[in-house]
Amino acid sequence: MAHTRLHTLDPALSRTEPRGHGLRLAAWDAGSDADAQAWLRGHLDPDFQRWNTPLKLWTDLAGARESLRARARDAADGRSASFRITDDESGTTLGGISVNEISRQMRVARVGYWVLAEARGRGVATRALLLASRWAYAELGLHRLELGHAVGHDASCRVAERSGYVAEGTLREAMFEAGRHDAFRDVHLHARLATDEEPTAPGAS
């Protein structure tokens, strides 16, 4: 279902917790040991590090808490919104998803996600991306959401396509190589508009 309502973005992003497709997108809590451990484990995962090169990679719980506090500050300033992907019944953390680089003027943002190793192969990323996209259109009034992944990351490409994010082209040397800040690699750009049809979510089993 397409979303076309116009909204004025507040400086502080909505703290509602989107629910649907068997998931709940919850706020991260920097003071929670469980949240910090899940955040750290996700970012130290070899598959995450193969396809993502953060400007700073935290390697301990203190760093993970600081990273989560920085995310909370960005949300308070209206720059981004980060969610913990959880199973709606058990509350188990499955991964993370965020709406980043929000532009109030252009009504555009970029999305990113990761899933813990034990939760992969169950459509978690696709279901979470559908849920976060619906939230961004309805609550933030965004018109365009962009998704970029390293060329060769076929699993992320499939998630994008299943979530209605159309492939738009290749951005040359638009992200860092794995584990390096002095070399670059190409990125596949996908995007979805608020007026695009929302795909059907995969089974939530």
Side-chain angles (χ1 to χ4, degrees):
M1 180 178 181
H3 301 278
T4 57
R5 288 190 301 161
L6 297 180
H7 294 246
T8 300
L9 288 177
D10 294 326
L13 299 183
S14 169
R15 300 316 302 164
T16 59
E17 296 188 340
R19 304 177 83 151
H21 311 315
L23 302 175
R24 178 169 63 94
L25 304 187
W28 290 97
D29 178 3
S32 163
D33 286 345
D35 281 17
Q37 288 167 355
W39 179 267
L40 183 63
R41 192 156 60 91
H43 285 72
L44 294 182
D45 180 88
D47 195 59
F48 177 91
Q49 294 191 10
R50 178 184 178 190
W51 299 113
N52 303 275
T53 307
L55 289 175
K56 185 167 186 179
L57 181 63
W58 304 104
T59 58
D60 55 26
L61 285 179
R65 289 192 178 91
E66 176 52 37
S67 183
L68 289 175
R69 285 193 289 267
R71 293 286 180 139
R73 290 192 295 270
D74 285 345
D77 291 338
R79 292 191 295 265
S80 69
S82 296
F83 295 102
R84 183 168 56 96
I85 305 171
T86 72
D87 181 273
D88 195 25
E89 286 191 15
S90 67
T92 301
T93 299
L94 306 174
I97 192 163
S98 56
V99 181
N100 304 310
E101 300 176 33
I102 297 169
S103 169
R104 297 175 176 85
Q105 292 78 15
M106 296 302 297
R107 294 171 58 203
V108 64
R110 297 180 69 88
V111 294
Y113 49 82
W114 52 270
V115 176
L116 291 170
E118 66 271 19
R120 293 172 190 156
R122 293 158 41 191
V124 170
T126 301
R127 289 186 278 137
L129 182 54
L130 287 169
L131 194 56
S133 301
R134 182 187 298 169
W135 176 84
Y137 296 134
E139 295 295 324
L140 305 183
L142 299 181
H143 176 66
R144 175 179 167 90
L145 293 173
E146 296 180 348
L147 186 162
H149 64 78
V151 170
H153 194 351
D154 295 338
S156 194
C157 198
R158 288 192 294 270
V159 169
E161 291 172 346
R162 290 169 183 165
S163 303
Y165 282 72
V166 178
E168 295 189 339
T170 300
L171 305 177
R172 297 182 303 149
E173 298 191 6
M175 69 183 297
F176 291 127
E177 286 280 3
R180 300 178 62 177
H181 290 151
D182 62 349
F184 299 86
R185 53 184 163 178
D186 294 349
V187 170
H188 274 165
L189 175 66
H190 299 252
R192 187 175 139 195
L193 305 180
T195 50
D196 290 339
E197 193 72 20
E198 181 176 303
T200 301
S205 60

